[in-house]
Amino acid sequence: MTTKKKNNIHILTIETSCDETAAAVVRDGREVLSNIISSQIDIHTLYGGVVPEIASRNHIERINTVIEQALNEAALKLCDIDAIAVTYGPGLVGALLVGVAEAKAISFATGLPLVGVHHIEGHICANFIEHKDLEPPFMSLVVSGGHTHLVNVLDYGKYEILGRTRDDAAGEAFDKVARAIGLGYPGGPKIDKVAKEGDPDAIDFPRAKVRNEEYDFSFSGLKSAVLNYLNSEKMAGREISVPDVAASFQKAVTDVLTEHSMNAVKSCGCSKFALAGGVASNSALRASMAAACKEAGVELYCPSPIFCTDNAAMIGVAGYYEYIKGNISDLSLNAVPGLKLGER
Ligand code: KG4
Ligand code: ZN
C-alpha cells in the first residue's frame, strides 16, 4: 500500500447520482457508522424507469433529512466531521447537482474540506467495508444500471480500465428484458428471482464477442435476441415460459461476464477479484464467479447487496482514500455527468 493511513477520520458523505438519496458517515475508510438510503423506486416504478426530473426534485426534498439521519445514527455532529465527500459524476446531471450543491454549502458554512468522488470508484471501494484484509492490487468487475467496466485496480485511486460495454450496461439489459417479459422495474432483482424457477439452458441466447477487444462487452444484441424470441413464439402461438426466458437470458449475461473476468485475471496474474455495482448482487453471477475463481485459485470478494446498489457509504470509503492523498476539491466543484474513471 502506497497511501499512509490516518486514524479517527470521519467522513460525511452524500450520493445522489441516480434515484437514491443517500448519506452516510464512514470512519477511517472502512467502518460504516451510518448508511441512510431514501429510495425513490416506488415513484419511478410508476413510469417503468427513472425519470431524471422527478429524481432531482425528490433529492431536493429529502437530502437534508437524510443527512440529519446519517449524523444522528452515527451519534456525531457536524463539528465531529473531518471532511465532506460527494459523488460528482458520472450520473444524471440534475440529480448529481443536488448532492454537489448540498456538499458545497456544508463545506462553505463549516470550512470542512470537500472531496469529489467518482461514482464507479465508490462501487469498487464498497468491497473494503466488509473485507478489511482487501488491499489493491486486484481485478474488479463493476456491473450496474449505467456501467459495465472490467477494471484492474492497481492501487487506491489508481485504475486501468481493461474492458467496457460498447452499448447497454449489464443492469440496463436486465431492466429492458424484464420490461419485455412483463416483470417491471427494477428488472434485475425480479429476473434474479423468477430465474430460480426456470431452466438456464432452455433457450440458447447469444454470447456476444467484440472483435479485437477481448475484454469489451456488448449486450444490445442479446436484448434483441430475447425480443425476437418473444415475438416469434407469440407469432407461432406458443406459450412463453417467463422463468425459462429469465434464466436463459441471465445465464447468457453471466457467462460472458465470468469468461471475460477470468481471462483478465489470468492474463494479469491477479490473485484477488472483487465484484461491484447493483448487478453484483445477482445470485447467478455470484455463483458463476465463485465457481470460476475457485477453479483458478483466485479469492473472490463481493459486497453485501446493500453495498452493491447505490449507497453513500461506498462514496465515503473512496472519499477517505482521496482525502488522505490530499485530493481536496474547491468550491468550483461541479457535477460531471460523463466523468471518466481516473479523471479528476
Ligand atoms: O449500482 P446501481 O444501484 O445503480 C447504478 O449505478 O446504475 O445498479 C442498479 C442496477 C439496475 O439495473 C438493477 O436492475 C440492477 O442493478 N440489479 C440487479 C440485481 N439487483 C440490482 N441486476 C441483476 N440481479 C440483481 N439481483
Ligand atoms: Zn451505481
Side-chain angles (χ1 to χ4, degrees), residues 21 87 202 309 331:
T21 317
T87 308
T309 44
L331 291 176

Side-chain angles (χ1 to χ4, degrees), residues 17 119 123 144 310 314:
S17 67
H119 184 76
H123 273 303
S144 72
D310 288 350
M314 67 184 195

Side-chain angles (χ1 to χ4, degrees), residues 119 123 144-146 171-172 174-175 187-189 192 277-279 281-282 308-310:
H119 184 76
H123 273 303
S144 72
E172 196 179 348
F174 268 94
D175 293 337
D192 196 351
V279 183
S281 52
N282 182 267
C308 285
T309 44
D310 288 350

Side-chain angles (χ1 to χ4, degrees), residues 222-235:
L222 170 60
K223 175 195 64 193
S224 302
V226 174
L227 295 178
N228 289 341
Y229 171 83
L230 295 173
N231 270 338
S232 59
E233 292 299 289
K234 206 169 152 195
M235 300 283 271

Side-chain angles (χ1 to χ4, degrees), residues 274-298:
L275 280 176
V279 183
S281 52
N282 182 267
S283 57
L285 177 62
R286 284 177 178 244
S288 147
M289 282 300 299
C293 283
K294 190 170 177 210
E295 201 188 318
V298 169

Side-chain angles (χ1 to χ4, degrees), residues 9 136 219 250 252 279 281 300 324:
I9 300 291
F219 295 110
Q250 182 171 266
V279 183
S281 52
L300 176 67
I324 59 174

Side-chain angles (χ1 to χ4, degrees), residues 104-132:
K104 288 203 291 192
I106 298 173
S107 168
F108 181 70
T110 56
L112 287 173
L114 178 68
V115 183
V117 175
H118 192 290
H119 184 76
I120 303 291
E121 182 170 7
H123 273 303
I124 295 171
C125 289
N127 278 284
F128 295 137
I129 298 169
E130 294 155 296
H131 306 297
K132 311 289 182 208

